[in-house]
Amino acid sequence: MSHESAHDDALDSFLDKWRARWPEWNVAQVFVPHAQRETVLAWAALQQELTDAAWGGSDARPGEAKLAWWIEELQGWSRGGRRHPLGIALQKLGAPWERLAMAIPSLRDTRERPRDRDEALALLQPFARAVADVETALFDGTATEATVAAIQSTLLHSHLALGGEGAVPLSALAGAGEGEHARVWGAELLERWPASGAANRPRRLWSALARQRLRRGDAALPLPPVAALMTAWRGVRG
């Protein structure tokens, strides 16, 4: 196997890891221009790597070490270097990687259970703004407040899908019975889900898919193909 082929296989393994969690993308990607699909997929996979490191596992220390590594890696991307396979698809695109690196400590700090939805959103805001800045560069969008709000909500959904009841704020724990905490928190997210029409197209798609999962009652359960297609179609319309 050539060195280049090995790098491509390593990249594919990270893309496949995201696809496994979001099989809906097999049908939703039809609404993304073909030339952008690899970039969109790699960017989604990078966000998953960062959030899994921030929120995954019972011990925070391995994730904290990964996030520290990612800070160095993204700073390297801003100077033209790369080590991680996702850099094959992303580093050369000239997004504000340094800004994203600087926001990673704020993402790390969201591991602790927040008091309520307002605190959860506030804690995510610095990272969401950096994500919006990257998406502005990647997808020719505008980092509006609506974009940031859509990112915050999809991040909260991702945390719930990954962590279950461990991602539920104290306010939802207090207001629900045993075994109902995740459902109650999902319903609260859904009730106050922001309009994402001003966001870039990939973010509108991700927001729509996350919202529909919450509507069906399970943040981690993929949508059936027909439902995913209709949800994506509504999402791109804004």
Side-chain angles (χ1 to χ4, degrees):
M1 180 183 293
S2 70
H3 183 69
E4 182 177 347
S5 176
H7 272 69
D8 288 345
D9 287 346
L11 171 61
D12 286 343
S13 72
F14 284 97
L15 303 183
D16 289 344
K17 186 162 64 168
W18 186 82
R19 286 192 189 100
R21 203 171 293 178
W22 287 95
E24 298 100 317
W25 196 249
N26 289 332
V27 295
Q29 68 178 351
V30 70
F31 297 106
V32 175
H34 195 273
Q36 280 192 334
R37 288 181 189 175
E38 182 186 64
T39 298
V40 171
L41 190 56
W43 172 231
L46 173 57
Q47 292 173 82
Q48 181 169 281
E49 290 301 305
L50 296 177
T51 55
D52 279 4
W55 301 327
S58 58
D59 185 350
R61 289 170 295 181
E64 289 173 352
K66 287 181 182 179
L67 291 176
W69 186 92
W70 270 112
I71 290 172
E72 293 183 0
E73 176 70 359
L74 292 170
Q75 289 171 338
W77 288 11
S78 69
R79 297 189 293 268
R82 61 170 171 81
R83 294 171 293 175
H84 197 279
L86 287 171
I88 298 170
L90 294 172
Q91 182 273 326
K92 62 183 180 292
L93 299 177
W97 304 120
E98 177 81 21
R99 202 172 307 163
L100 185 64
M102 292 174 63
I104 286 177
S106 69
L107 176 65
R108 179 196 61 212
D109 293 343
T110 64
R111 183 181 179 91
E112 296 299 321
R113 195 186 299 275
R115 289 191 301 271
D116 52 26
R117 179 181 178 275
D118 288 343
E119 183 176 63
L121 290 171
L123 290 170
L124 280 170
Q125 188 174 65
F127 183 72
R129 287 192 181 280
V131 167
D133 289 338
V134 171
E135 293 185 358
T136 296
L138 294 181
F139 308 128
D140 300 319
T142 302
T144 64
E145 291 302 314
T147 303
V148 174
I151 293 167
Q152 287 171 294
S153 291
T154 52
L155 285 169
L156 289 176
H157 167 270
S158 295
H159 197 177
L160 178 59
L162 179 66
E165 296 208 354
V168 175
L170 292 171
S171 59
L173 289 179
E178 188 69 28
E180 291 293 303
H181 303 134
R183 185 192 62 78
V184 168
W185 175 230
E188 183 177 346
L189 289 178
L190 185 59
E191 182 181 355
R192 301 175 67 180
W193 199 266
S196 59
N200 57 78
R201 177 168 287 200
R203 182 58 59 184
R204 292 201 302 272
L205 286 168
W206 294 329
S207 176
L209 293 172
R211 184 182 189 182
Q212 189 62 19
R213 282 192 181 188
L214 291 175
R215 282 176 170 161
R216 293 171 69 90
D218 189 333
L221 183 65
L223 306 174
V226 173
L229 184 65
M230 295 304 299
T231 298
W233 177 72
R234 289 192 296 267
V236 296
R237 294 178 67 200

